[in-house]
Amino acid sequence: MRTPPGVSEADFAAALGQFEAAIGKSWVFTSDEDVDLYKDAYSPFWGEAEERRASAALAPDTVEQVQAIARIANRYRIPLYTISTGRNLGYGGSAPAATGSVVLDLKRMNRVLEVNENNAYALVEPGVSYFDLYRHIQERGLKVWIDVPDPGWGSPIGNALDRGGGYTTHQFRNHFDSHCGMEVVLANGELLRTGMGAMPGSQAWQQYKTGYGPWIDGIFSQSNFGIVTKMGFWLMPQPDAYLTGTVLVPRHADLVPLVEVLNYLENSHVCNGMSDLSSPAMEQPAPPGAPPPAPEVVALINKAIAGNAGDLDAYGASKGLAAWSVTIKFYGPAKAIAAQWEYAKERFAAIPGTKFIDGELIRLPLTAEQRERLHKVEFGIPNLSIFSMGARNANNPTPTDGHQWFSPIIPRSGAAVFEANKVFAAAGRDFGLPVPPYSIPFCFWERSFLFLFGFPVTHDAAKNQATRTAFRKLVEIAAEHGWGEYRTAPAYQDLIMGTYSFNNHALLRFHETLKDAVDPNGILSPGRYGIWPKHLRGKHP
Amino acid sequence: MRRDIVRLLAALGVSVAIMGPALADDAAAVKAGDAVFQKWCAPCHGHGPDKPGTIALQALYKGAKPAALEDRTDLTPDFLKLYVRHGVSVMPPFRKTEVSDADLAVLTAYLMRTKR
């Protein structure tokens, strides 16, 4: 059996005994067979000495049990690494950030405590998955939607605390932004409620986010300052209809005005869904499993990246392929969103040569046929179809063992997209890094673009080492240009935190000041998002 | 069938006692296993489009075996335990807070029901 770093075998045994007394022997996992289930299935260190491994796992069922665990852990200085459903694969899964930590598995705390249809909110525990919450709502026929990320087995709480996102409207697809109120077990076992929940007897915990005084909810995301045991979320009232419209522009340089109009429409909430950008002429982004563009197309792309897009534009014109396409999406009353699309067309028509494709107006709720045909997550329907990516299929006979993402935030402008592609193309060329011919930005977040570079994880250490080297190089190159990663697996959290270094790492130093104040023994998720307790600072692997 | 269920539970290291008296009944075990399958397996291994596990097994077996797990007649307790607890490719293992040993036992009963 592993022991946590700095903890004697005798103390660990004593702590485990007290954990068993607090939550029941069957929910304290110490055998190799059971603890191995907490490995990160997508670890980029798979099978190597640096792979993060737990020493034990605890699965409490109640808040009181979590409080008891925190008190015992403080007594014996046992590091606890909290997971909710442990399904943020590619971002660490159920493994700790620091080897030897005891995983605090909150999966059994899986109660949907309230769903309010009239005012559209929910209050849930950490072990509730998107599937669970969706099922709860559907079984009761409630006319509210949840916003889901690609894999539906994740936890609304865990995903929000990781600052993940989904696919419906602006207000809901940023999952941390859409939360309202938390309950948190602090390192000393004390219970805290934020927002209106801090007032005994409040009936508006999920109706007003900030309560009174400093709004501290943010410090419990991407961090290790507390154990979140309840969280409220605002839900989306079921809309009447959904509509898409596609805009096609003929020239590569048209991306600049295209993004300007798109920004106006999105920031005004004229279109409230997540827009999809693509380049038909460059055949990007390529669908999963698709072959790369022909060499002559890649040559045209490279000329465009270098600043000469004339030949690419001529190629597109000869093939009837637009330089850029953006599909914008609307949720709302059918008449209103039809009018909003007409208005959007007026704005985009200022770009010479623009063409439009009217999408299908979908009346909601979906029919069974529509549920199968349409992109489920855009309708708040949890599923796991994303795992087709990398898995074996007719076009991919050699499946991977997982994936990881480098996903920098890029300014929302055409010029920034051009500049970023110039930089990443050069990085690919100069360092042999696996970048696509052209990176098309994603519109997950309001006000910014997101680039996504996918890397396979394998069970071949040499391949994983090469991937990690490439990943780190891209992080460094991006940071040199002011483009920062928004979320990563523990393997890269110190690296990424190090790039947010303004004024001699003032932000990290503030995190550390907080850490020392609220968790002086450093028992909560040491190392998560680069925040280490004092006794491990500078000494961790 | 009852004897088969008890034998496979023993193979999985699960006593009938921990399943409770209701699940000691074959039909009840199969019904409970169906629920476990629908919750934990069907999103990837069910029938229909967009099921990554079914797509992967179709590509692997090319029709030599059914792609959907519920149509298989060759599954064994050891085989199911191996994949549930170890995963394969992009499929992760399942922890006991997700699929308990008792869940795995009834899941096995469900997926082996066609052997009756």
Side-chain angles (χ1 to χ4, degrees):
Chain A
M1 183 193 296
R2 287 180 200 84
T3 53
V7 177
S8 70
E9 287 188 20
D11 276 358
F12 194 41
L16 290 172
Q18 294 188 19
F19 289 140
E20 287 178 356
I23 67 173
K25 189 175 171 62
S26 59
W27 299 112
V28 177
F29 299 109
T30 56
S31 71
D32 287 348
E33 178 188 337
D34 290 346
V35 177
D36 280 353
L37 297 171
Y38 289 85
K39 291 171 69 171
D40 175 10
Y42 291 8
S43 172
F45 288 108
W46 184 271
E48 298 181 63
E50 297 93 331
E51 184 180 357
R52 273 70 165 168
R53 303 289 294 275
S55 57
L58 312 173
D61 184 44
T62 66
V63 175
E64 291 75 18
Q65 290 182 356
V66 175
Q67 292 178 275
I69 288 169
R71 292 188 190 106
I72 297 164
N74 249 311
R75 196 173 305 140
Y76 293 98
R77 309 290 195 267
I78 307 292
L80 301 171
Y81 190 85
T82 307
I83 63 169
S84 17
T85 62
R87 286 294 173 214
N88 55 345
L89 299 171
Y91 297 107
S94 47
T99 285
S101 300
V102 172
V103 173
L104 181 59
D105 180 350
L106 303 183
K107 179 62 194 169
R108 293 177 65 222
M109 296 173 63
N110 60 359
R111 286 160 282 250
V112 176
L113 299 167
E114 183 184 5
V115 175
N116 183 305
E117 182 182 40
N118 179 257
N119 204 20
Y121 64 79
L123 179 67
V124 296
E125 291 187 328
V128 171
S129 71
Y130 289 100
F131 281 121
D132 295 333
L133 183 53
Y134 180 79
R135 196 178 300 118
H136 179 100
I137 290 168
Q138 294 301 308
E139 285 172 355
R140 288 158 182 77
L142 305 176
K143 292 185 171 52
V144 287
W145 281 17
I146 58 174
D147 186 284
V148 301
D150 279 304
W153 55 15
S155 154
I157 289 183
N159 190 271
L161 295 179
D162 259 12
R163 298 210 290 262
Y167 287 85
T168 64
T169 68
H170 294 105
Q171 190 184 352
F172 302 101
R173 69 175 186 262
N174 181 322
H175 293 163
F176 188 78
D177 277 4
S178 70
H179 96 274
C180 185
M182 290 180 174
E183 179 184 86
V184 185
V185 173
L186 300 176
N188 62 5
E190 195 173 23
L191 198 61
L192 170 81
R193 287 184 174 176
T194 69
M196 298 305 292
M199 176 175 282
S202 168
Q203 299 297 309
W205 192 15
Q206 275 62 61
Q207 303 190 23
Y208 183 70
K209 292 186 178 184
T210 55
Y212 194 74
W215 191 33
I216 62 169
D217 292 37
I219 70 166
F220 298 109
S221 67
Q222 295 195 349
S223 72
N224 48 19
F225 299 136
I227 301 164
V228 177
T229 48
K230 290 184 182 67
M231 209 160 155
F233 292 95
W234 286 356
L235 306 176
M236 181 170 166
Q238 177 182 289
D240 286 343
Y242 167 86
L243 176 68
T244 63
T246 298
V247 183
L248 303 167
V249 293
R251 291 166 297 274
H252 192 72
D254 289 336
L255 183 66
V256 173
L258 186 77
V259 173
E260 287 174 357
V261 176
L262 180 67
N263 286 350
Y264 175 81
L265 295 172
E266 284 202 15
N267 296 345
S268 307
H269 291 195
V270 171
C271 53
N272 54 5
M274 192 179 95
S275 306
D276 282 336
L277 271 163
S278 67
S279 171
M282 292 193 283
E283 302 173 27
Q284 299 293 310
E296 54 269 30
V297 177
V298 173
L300 294 173
I301 292 172
N302 288 335
K303 284 181 73 174
I305 289 172
N308 179 8
D311 291 346
L312 178 64
D313 290 344
Y315 166 80
S318 72
K319 299 284 186 184
L321 299 171
W324 297 99
S325 162
V326 63
T327 297
I328 59 176
K329 301 169 188 175
F330 307 84
Y331 298 81
K335 287 181 182 175
I337 60 179
Q340 285 166 286
W341 170 226
E342 289 306 315
Y343 175 76
K345 285 197 275 193
E346 289 176 17
R347 300 289 299 217
F348 283 116
I351 304 170
T354 299
K355 294 177 180 173
F356 302 101
I357 300 171
D358 295 336
E360 179 186 9
L361 178 73
I362 306 285
R363 301 277 182 174
L364 299 167
L366 298 177
T367 65
E369 180 274 331
Q370 289 168 332
R371 281 176 62 95
E372 288 303 323
R373 172 168 57 88
L374 297 169
H375 192 203
K376 292 182 177 61
V377 288
E378 292 185 31
F379 302 90
I381 303 171
N383 67 93
L384 296 179
S385 63
I386 188 68
F387 288 97
S388 291
M389 181 188 63
R392 186 190 303 274
N393 59 51
N395 298 317
N396 180 23
T398 53
T400 67
D401 296 304
H403 58 252
Q404 53 193 323
W405 301 101
F406 169 55
S407 39
I409 299 289
I410 306 289
R412 259 217 193 209
S413 71
V417 173
F418 293 152
E419 173 66 12
N421 269 286
K422 188 180 290 185
V423 169
F424 290 127
R429 203 169 46 241
D430 296 346
F431 301 102
L433 303 182
V435 300
Y438 204 96
S439 295
I440 306 295
F442 289 83
C443 302
F444 280 107
W445 310 126
E446 280 194 276
R447 314 288 168 128
S448 62
F449 278 144
L450 184 76
F451 275 22
L452 276 173
F453 298 91
F455 293 82
V457 171
T458 76
H459 290 177
D460 179 323
K463 285 183 182 170
N464 286 341
Q465 285 168 12
T467 299
R468 296 197 303 269
T469 300
F471 194 108
R472 289 179 177 132
K473 192 71 194 173
L474 279 172
V475 169
E476 290 166 4
I477 291 169
E480 286 167 9
H481 293 81
W483 305 321
E485 170 66 58
Y486 88 100
R487 178 187 184 194
T488 45
Y492 307 104
Q493 286 172 354
D494 290 321
L495 172 73
I496 306 285
M497 196 67 235
T499 65
Y500 285 79
S501 60
F502 170 77
N503 191 21
N504 188 27
H505 304 270
L507 180 61
L508 176 59
R509 287 186 286 112
F510 185 74
H511 293 332
E512 291 171 345
T513 302
L514 279 178
K515 183 68 176 170
D516 295 343
V518 303
D519 181 15
N521 291 326
I523 61 160
L524 299 183
S525 300
R528 183 168 159 76
Y529 277 82
I531 305 166
W532 292 90
K534 188 175 278 183
H535 70 280
L536 293 176
R537 218 164 280 157
K539 300 172 191 163
H540 55 84
Chain B
M1 177 62 184
R2 168 66 183 267
R3 198 170 54 225
D4 292 344
I5 292 279
V6 172
R7 201 160 46 220
L8 79 85
L9 293 177
L12 289 163
V14 175
S15 74
V16 174
I18 70 167
M19 295 172 59
L23 298 187
D25 174 73
D26 297 351
V30 169
K31 184 178 177 187
D34 186 358
V36 172
F37 183 87
Q38 301 315 324
K39 178 170 183 177
W40 288 106
C41 314
C44 275
H45 286 285
H47 293 100
D50 298 334
K51 302 295 190 298
T54 303
I55 294 168
L57 293 180
Q58 175 63 38
L60 179 65
Y61 295 128
K62 298 181 173 60
K65 293 181 181 179
L69 291 184
E70 289 168 289
D71 298 338
R72 295 273 290 270
T73 57
D74 62 333
L75 300 175
T76 66
D78 286 346
F79 180 93
L80 290 166
K81 182 179 180 183
L82 176 70
Y83 285 100
V84 169
R85 295 296 184 219
H86 293 271
V88 61
S89 175
V90 297
M91 172 184 162
F94 288 82
R95 309 188 308 277
K96 293 186 178 178
T97 51
E98 300 172 302
V99 178
S100 68
D101 286 336
D103 289 338
L104 180 55
V106 294
L107 173 68
T108 304
Y110 175 66
L111 289 174
M112 292 180 66
R113 71 200 182 286
T114 52
K115 282 190 166 175
R116 277 176 289 185

